[in-house]
Amino acid sequence: MPQELQIVAARGSLNSLTLRDVAAVFFRQKRLLAISFAVIATTGILYSALFPSYKAEMKVLLRRGRIDPVVTPTPSPSPVFEHDEITEEELNSEVELLRDEDILRQVVLDTGLGQKTWLSVVTRQNFEERTEKAVRRLADKLNVQPVRKSRLITVSYSSSNAAQSAEVLHSLARAYLAKQAMSIRPSGQQIFFEQQVNESRIILEEAQGDLIAFTRKQGVVSAGLERDLVLQKLSDAEASEFAVQTAVAEIGTRVRVLESSLRDLPQRRVVEIKNADNPQLEEKLKSKLLELELQRTSLVTKFQPSYRLVQEVDEEISQAKAAIESEEQKPLRDETTQDDAEFDWAHSEHLKNEVELRALEQKRTVAREQVSAFRAAAGKLEESAIAQHDLEQQVKAAEDKYLLYSNKREEARIGDALDQNGVLNVAIAQQPRAPALPAWSFLAATWFSFIGACGFSTAIAFANDYFAPSFRTPAEVFEFLGSPVLASLPAVREIVRDSEAS
């Protein structure tokens, strides 16, 4: 039963840590605790007394003091600001620029932080190694922090020498401003743009000379405008030709219709017809018949009716009677005619239309020649307009290039003037000065030394107690071996101390 209680007690001590256990650690390590506390506290007090830390501080102000145009192949737009707020990105960029390695290296070289020391002599470090280590030490000691909700950046540096702390920040400010000017606007822009202005002026003069020579050679002032005028005339001429062609077709149709009408119409028309006998002819025929009858009578008295002369006279008498009968049956006809009015009108219209048709055909020929001439002139002017347009484009491009480089040259000149006068977007709002008092007073340093000594000595005591190879309690034996502890005896020095006390 006592063995079981001891095992339970050992297990309980493993699962819980009491103040008694903590105090036991302090009692067991009191010598180490006292020695470490004294050493650490003394070291801190002596260091703060012999090597005080002097902290120099400066403040950098970000502002909108100037706007440098961007070097681009296009004209720079006019800077128009609705507000002059500094963004967080700009503030952080300036913070990183203050920590730039090139700037810190320049500060080390200017202030001599990388000079030879007894340690460097012993280790035989060369100049580059000393400079690199000095840059790292400066980066560790330099504190750059942006001030919240402001445009300020606080830069501080601490060292055991007050003058050196201020000198480091002064050198940092100079290197930072130089880097700021170099990074914002690289140098040599004005010389570059001056060369470009001279070259672009020569190109512009050559382009203008080519354009003038072309206009003189082609005999045109504005080929595009003249081409448009010729095209307008060509359009009018084509419309006139179409109108003449229409008129020719119309009058040709009219001439053909009149020719057909003239073939159907009589040239003269009968206006009066008179029928009458011919008395003179009848009287002559009757006289002739009477003579023939008398001649027959005389011949019959002398000859027989069968006589040839008598028969001839009979035939003549028969012919005379037939002629008299024919004249009596066929009266004399008298007709009166005159020119037909429709024929005359159609004839005159035909003649007039033929004349007009010939005139219109001649006009159509002239209109066709004009259309051909205008079309050829328009084609030639089109070629001239294209060539002139190309030359004008070259002149315009050369002029734009010349104006662009002229403006860039003026911008570069203004930028150089601003650089010479020190006009930047940053300014040192608070200049660093050598501090008269250390960053921590002797009393504060003493208190921090005691506090640090307490913490470090306690940690050392607990670490030494934890890593000690001996068993201090039955619980530790049980934890390590896994077997119950039947009995435990106090240390020999404790028995001797108790006996001496008794």
Side-chain angles (χ1 to χ4, degrees):
M1 189 67 181
Q3 183 178 359
E4 294 179 359
L5 291 176
Q6 191 173 8
I7 293 174
V8 173
R11 290 180 178 176
S13 63
L14 288 175
N15 296 329
S16 63
L17 182 66
T18 62
L19 292 177
R20 183 182 181 86
D21 297 332
V22 175
V25 173
F26 280 106
F27 280 106
R28 284 194 299 269
Q29 304 294 333
K30 57 184 177 180
R31 181 177 296 180
L32 179 61
L33 184 64
I35 293 173
S36 60
F37 177 82
V39 171
I40 296 174
T42 303
T43 302
I45 294 172
L46 291 176
Y47 182 82
S48 61
L50 298 177
F51 304 98
S53 177
Y54 292 94
K55 181 179 180 182
E57 185 176 278
M58 73 173 180
K59 291 183 179 179
V60 179
L61 174 64
L62 273 66
R63 59 182 182 179
R64 297 292 185 184
R66 59 183 284 187
I67 294 297
D68 292 295
V70 182
V71 181
T72 59
T74 58
S76 301
S78 300
V80 179
F81 298 104
E82 297 180 356
H83 52 80
D84 57 350
E85 295 181 358
I86 303 298
T87 62
E88 184 178 356
E89 290 78 6
E90 294 175 335
L91 197 63
N92 292 332
S93 299
E94 298 303 324
V95 170
E96 292 300 323
L97 186 60
L98 284 167
R99 295 171 177 170
D100 186 68
E101 185 175 354
D102 293 337
I103 295 178
L104 298 183
R105 182 180 297 274
Q106 186 63 39
V107 172
V108 169
L109 296 176
D110 292 343
T111 56
L113 293 178
Q115 293 179 356
K116 287 185 178 181
T117 61
W118 67 270
L119 183 61
S120 62
V121 172
V122 172
T123 57
R124 296 181 181 180
Q125 294 177 351
N126 57 23
F127 177 76
E128 291 296 331
E129 292 179 355
R130 295 198 308 271
T131 303
E132 187 66 27
K133 289 184 178 181
V135 169
R136 292 182 180 180
R137 288 195 301 269
L138 178 59
D140 294 336
K141 292 183 179 181
L142 191 66
N143 185 18
V144 182
Q145 294 294 333
V147 181
R148 187 178 180 184
K149 294 183 179 180
S150 70
R151 303 180 183 179
L152 294 174
I153 300 175
T154 302
V155 184
S156 60
Y157 176 75
S158 300
S159 69
S160 58
N161 190 338
Q164 187 182 33
S165 298
E167 180 60 26
V168 168
L169 292 185
H170 278 295
S171 178
L172 177 65
R174 290 191 299 268
Y176 168 68
L177 294 178
K179 186 75 171 182
Q180 178 72 227
M182 185 180 299
S183 62
I184 291 178
R185 199 185 67 84
S187 60
Q189 289 184 5
Q190 187 174 0
I191 299 175
F192 169 76
F193 287 123
E194 186 70 32
Q195 295 174 353
Q196 295 301 318
V197 166
N198 295 331
E199 293 178 2
S200 60
R201 184 188 296 111
I202 295 174
I203 295 174
L204 176 60
E205 292 175 354
E206 291 178 354
Q208 290 175 345
D210 293 340
L211 180 60
I212 294 173
F214 175 80
T215 54
R216 289 177 179 176
K217 181 180 179 180
Q218 298 296 328
V220 295
V221 178
S222 177
L225 180 60
E226 294 181 10
R227 176 202 58 196
D228 295 339
L229 294 176
V230 170
L231 289 176
Q232 182 64 35
K233 292 180 181 180
L234 175 62
S235 178
D236 296 340
E238 289 178 345
S240 177
E241 181 189 6
F242 181 76
V244 171
Q245 186 71 23
T246 303
V248 167
E250 180 181 356
I251 292 177
T253 303
R254 190 183 302 172
V255 168
R256 289 191 295 272
V257 172
L258 289 174
E259 288 177 352
S260 177
S261 299
L262 287 174
R263 288 194 296 267
D264 297 336
L265 292 174
Q267 186 174 3
R268 299 184 64 82
R269 185 181 298 277
V270 178
V271 295
E272 185 179 3
I273 299 176
K274 294 181 180 180
N275 294 322
D277 296 335
N278 192 350
Q280 296 178 355
L281 180 59
E282 289 181 359
E283 184 178 357
K284 290 180 179 181
L285 289 174
K286 287 179 179 182
S287 298
K288 182 69 178 178
L289 178 61
L290 181 58
E291 291 177 357
L292 290 172
E293 287 179 351
L294 291 176
Q295 186 178 2
R296 182 178 182 282
T297 300
S298 63
L299 288 175
V300 170
T301 59
K302 294 179 180 181
F303 300 101
Q304 289 295 330
S306 60
Y307 188 65
R308 183 179 60 82
L309 292 175
V310 175
Q311 291 180 353
E312 290 179 355
V313 171
D314 289 337
E315 290 179 1
E316 291 179 357
I317 290 172
S318 299
Q319 292 177 355
K321 288 181 179 180
I324 291 171
E325 291 178 357
S326 176
E327 285 296 330
E328 289 179 353
Q329 294 177 359
K330 182 179 179 182
L332 183 62
R333 184 174 181 178
D334 186 12
E335 293 182 353
T336 303
T337 63
Q338 64 179 9
D339 294 336
D340 187 65
E342 293 182 0
F343 181 85
D344 292 342
W345 175 85
H347 184 66
S348 63
E349 286 294 323
H350 181 264
L351 293 177
K352 182 173 68 175
N353 286 323
E354 281 187 344
V355 172
E356 187 175 358
L357 180 61
R358 293 191 185 95
L360 288 174
E361 288 178 349
Q362 185 65 27
K363 187 175 181 180
R364 180 178 61 182
T365 302
V366 174
R368 287 178 177 176
E369 293 177 355
Q370 288 181 347
V371 168
S372 300
F374 285 145
R375 186 174 286 111
K380 184 178 179 180
L381 288 173
E382 177 67 21
E383 296 177 356
S384 300
I386 293 174
Q388 188 177 25
H389 179 71
D390 293 339
L391 292 174
E392 290 176 350
Q393 288 292 102
Q394 294 177 5
V395 172
K396 183 67 171 58
E399 184 178 0
D400 292 341
K401 186 178 180 181
Y402 174 73
L403 294 176
L404 172 64
Y405 285 127
S406 297
N407 294 332
K408 294 293 184 180
R409 179 185 61 181
E410 182 63 19
E411 292 173 357
R413 187 191 65 79
I414 295 174
D416 289 342
L418 292 175
D419 290 341
Q420 292 176 2
N421 294 323
V423 179
L424 298 174
N425 286 333
V426 294
I428 305 301
Q430 178 182 329
Q431 293 291 341
R433 60 183 180 84
L437 297 176
W440 301 97
S441 64
F442 181 76
L443 182 60
T446 302
W447 276 107
F448 278 109
S449 298
F450 277 107
I451 294 174
C454 290
F456 279 106
S457 59
T458 302
I460 292 173
F462 272 90
N464 185 65
D465 189 77
Y466 180 78
F467 290 105
S470 60
F471 296 108
R472 290 175 293 275
T473 62
E476 292 180 358
V477 176
F478 177 77
E479 180 182 1
F480 185 79
L481 299 177
S483 60
V485 178
L486 301 178
S488 63
L489 298 175
V492 176
R493 60 177 177 270
E494 293 181 359
I495 298 174
V496 174
R497 187 187 309 114
D498 293 340
S499 64
E500 291 176 356
S502 60

